[in-house]
Amino acid sequence: MRVTFSANGRPVEADDVWEGESLLYVLRERVGLPGSKNACEQGECGSCTVYLDGVPVCSCLVAAGQVQGREVRTVEGLAGPDGELGVVQQAFVDAGAVQCGFCTPGLLVQTDALLAADPQPSDTDIREALSGNLCRCTGYEKIMDAVRLASARTCARGAEK
């Protein structure tokens, strides 16, 4: 089947999609957006998190046919219009929260969603928002630092406007 949807604001068509294919597979292998990672294929790790109509979802659990006519935003879509890193992405780099990088795309999307809902989350809010994202490398402290930094930068940008 053919699946047509919007990815990061651009129209996308994927042909010869098998009805059981995941959105994750379509994004990575058919559309050329490899940022979301394939780790568990069970929705347990969060590495494949993307926005679907503005809501974070594990793309490994979404059947490709379910995105027909819908809006998908991936980690690549968090970058600025000229490809520069977004606030959350830059904060993760600056805080040293990126190690092996496998969990990073999902953490970035989930952090972006958290800060969109609450630009000044408490540490408890951060932990809860990221509880579905597993990281085997960092011990989470640098990730917490990155979210705090992104929050501070987001609030500073809001104050400048």
Side-chain angles (χ1 to χ4, degrees):
M1 77 175 146
R2 172 179 287 163
V3 179
T4 306
F5 60 100
S6 173
N8 301 324
R10 295 189 349 234
V12 172
E13 271 188 5
D15 289 319
D16 298 323
V17 174
W18 172 66
E19 62 189 33
E21 267 178 40
S22 69
L23 172 59
L24 175 62
Y25 184 86
V26 169
L27 290 170
R28 290 181 56 81
E29 305 300 331
R30 297 188 183 275
V31 180
L33 293 171
S36 303
K37 302 303 180 204
N38 185 2
C40 73
E41 296 183 334
Q42 298 177 23
E44 295 292 329
C45 71
S47 293
C48 67
T49 303
V50 299
Y51 284 107
L52 180 58
D53 293 335
V55 178
V57 298
C58 290
S59 61
C60 71
L61 297 179
V62 177
Q66 291 180 292
V67 302
Q68 179 65 38
R70 298 174 77 183
E71 170 65 35
V72 175
R73 186 170 172 222
T74 68
V75 66
E76 290 94 340
L78 299 182
D82 296 324
E84 72 279 3
L85 295 179
V87 173
V88 172
Q89 293 166 315
Q90 190 63 57
F92 269 67
V93 170
D94 293 346
V98 179
Q99 287 194 12
C100 83
F102 218 75
C103 66
T104 306
L107 286 165
L108 291 170
V109 172
Q110 200 63 47
T111 298
D112 185 75
L114 168 65
L115 296 180
D118 181 1
Q120 293 182 299
S122 67
D123 282 0
T124 301
D125 294 335
I126 296 169
R127 285 186 188 94
E128 185 176 326
L130 301 183
S131 65
N133 296 78
L134 302 179
C135 176
R136 293 173 179 91
C137 299
T138 66
Y140 295 96
E141 198 51 46
K142 289 187 183 278
I143 293 168
M144 293 290 292
D145 292 344
V147 178
R148 291 183 203 109
L149 181 57
S151 171
R153 289 177 177 171
T154 299
C155 289
R157 280 189 176 180
E160 292 173 3
K161 293 181 180 179

